[in-house]
């Protein structure tokens, strides 16, 4: 279903801990994206990367960090600086300049 | 940046009736307008899209219209079926320049059998 995977499906974290969400794609897409989904707020962009070793902040980047060392991988770290990290996180990919974004199955993060 | 507003937030229709979801955008540079469907517990998937040089596009029971002057676009679903029940998101952007999409807040559609 799209060749983009996210792990884990569910993640629990204690306050004050950093946690890394995995996103891998085998679609040979150049661009990758991280979104946060909260009830009633749609999809909000955290970070995106159009090419390896380069990425840009989205609208809600504070408290998050990313890396893009490989074309296939775009991990997201939720740091302790993120004040309200409990949410559903979606990763997506597309060809550079392409229209359709293909989404992963998502990771639901809960901070205890 | 772009601001996309979507209405209504929830919509219930009887099976067989039509459903219409509306979105407005603020940036006149936006030239691509996709619609995504997200079924419960699943990932969003593209169902239809339209470019700014086209006023209407149809795919079976689904159609999208775009009014560039008024900066609004709409999703029309005819002859609704229970499997159409899902959350629908509109978006706007300029993907050909490598820029991000901006998504609306979503519409939860329920089709009552």
């Amino acid at each position: 279903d799209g060749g983009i995977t996210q792990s884990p499906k569910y993640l629990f974290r204690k306050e004050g801990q950093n946690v890394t969400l995995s996103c891998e794609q085998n679609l040979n897409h150049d661009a990758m994206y991280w979104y946060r989904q909260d009830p009633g707020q749609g999809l909000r962009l955290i970070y995106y990367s159009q090419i390896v070793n380069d990425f840009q902040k989205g609208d809600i980047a504070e408290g998050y960090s990313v890396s893009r060392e490989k074309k296939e991988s775009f991990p997201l770290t939720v740091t302790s600086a993120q004040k309200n990290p409990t949410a559903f996180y979606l990763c997506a990919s597309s060809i550079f300049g392409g229209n359709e974004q293909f989404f992963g199955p998502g990771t639901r993060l809960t901070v205890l | 940046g772009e601001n996309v507003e979507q209405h209504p937030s929830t919509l219930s229709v009887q099976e067989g009736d039509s459903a219409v979801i509306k979105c407005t955008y603020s940036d006149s540079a936006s030239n691509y307008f996709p619609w995504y469907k997200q079924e419960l517990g699943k990932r969003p998937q593209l169902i239809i899209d339209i470019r700014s040089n086209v006023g209407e596009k149809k795919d079976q029971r689904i159609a999208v219209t775009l009014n560039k002057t008024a900066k609004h676009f709409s999703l029309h679903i005819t002859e609704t079926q229970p499997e159409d029940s899902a959350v629908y998101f509109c978006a706007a952007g300029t993907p050909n320049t490598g820029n991000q999409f901006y998504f609306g807040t979503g519409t939860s559609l329920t089709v009552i059998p």
Side-chain angles (χ1 to χ4, degrees), chain B residues 83-102:
Chain B
E83 52 264 39
D84 294 329
S85 296
V87 178
Y88 293 81
F89 294 97
C90 63
T94 54
N96 55 309
T97 60
N99 291 331
Q100 64 185 72
F101 289 172
Y102 293 86

Side-chain angles (χ1 to χ4, degrees), chain B residues 53-87:
Chain B
N53 59 350
V54 176
E56 183 174 359
K57 184 177 179 180
K58 189 173 182 179
D59 182 4
Q60 298 182 353
R61 298 186 296 107
I62 295 174
V64 57
T65 59
L66 171 65
N67 183 327
K68 281 187 62 179
T69 303
K71 295 195 187 70
H72 67 71
F73 55 112
S74 300
L75 177 71
H76 304 254
I77 306 174
T78 59
E79 301 172 21
T80 53
Q81 301 168 3
E83 52 264 39
D84 294 329
S85 296
V87 178

Side-chain angles (χ1 to χ4, degrees), chain A residues 64-91:
Chain A
Y64 300 97
S65 66
V66 293
S67 63
R68 188 82 188 279
E69 297 177 0
K70 297 187 301 181
K71 187 176 185 179
E72 303 78 22
S73 178
F74 191 40
L76 173 74
T77 297
V78 184
T79 75
S80 57
Q82 168 51 233
K83 299 304 180 187
N84 186 23
T86 295
F88 188 57
Y89 291 87
L90 283 162
C91 179

Side-chain angles (χ1 to χ4, degrees), chain B residues 4-112:
Chain B
V4 178
E5 296 189 356
Q6 182 172 348
H7 300 280
S9 57
T10 59
L11 179 61
S12 293
V13 299
Q14 292 287 339
E15 182 177 358
D17 287 349
S18 295
V20 180
I21 303 170
K22 299 182 178 180
C23 289
T24 61
Y25 62 100
S26 61
D27 189 352
S28 57
S30 291
N31 59 15
Y32 176 69
F33 307 91
W35 286 88
Y36 284 80
K37 175 183 180 182
Q38 186 178 27
E39 297 179 19
L40 189 63
K42 295 189 177 180
R43 68 190 79 190
Q45 291 191 308
L46 180 71
I47 56 171
I48 195 167
D49 56 10
I50 192 168
R51 290 191 168 277
S52 58
N53 59 350
V54 176
E56 183 174 359
K57 184 177 179 180
K58 189 173 182 179
D59 182 4
Q60 298 182 353
R61 298 186 296 107
I62 295 174
V64 57
T65 59
L66 171 65
N67 183 327
K68 281 187 62 179
T69 303
K71 295 195 187 70
H72 67 71
F73 55 112
S74 300
L75 177 71
H76 304 254
I77 306 174
T78 59
E79 301 172 21
T80 53
Q81 301 168 3
E83 52 264 39
D84 294 329
S85 296
V87 178
Y88 293 81
F89 294 97
C90 63
T94 54
N96 55 309
T97 60
N99 291 331
Q100 64 185 72
F101 289 172
Y102 293 86
F103 282 85
T105 51
T107 296
S108 178
L109 173 65
T110 300
V111 179
I112 304 166

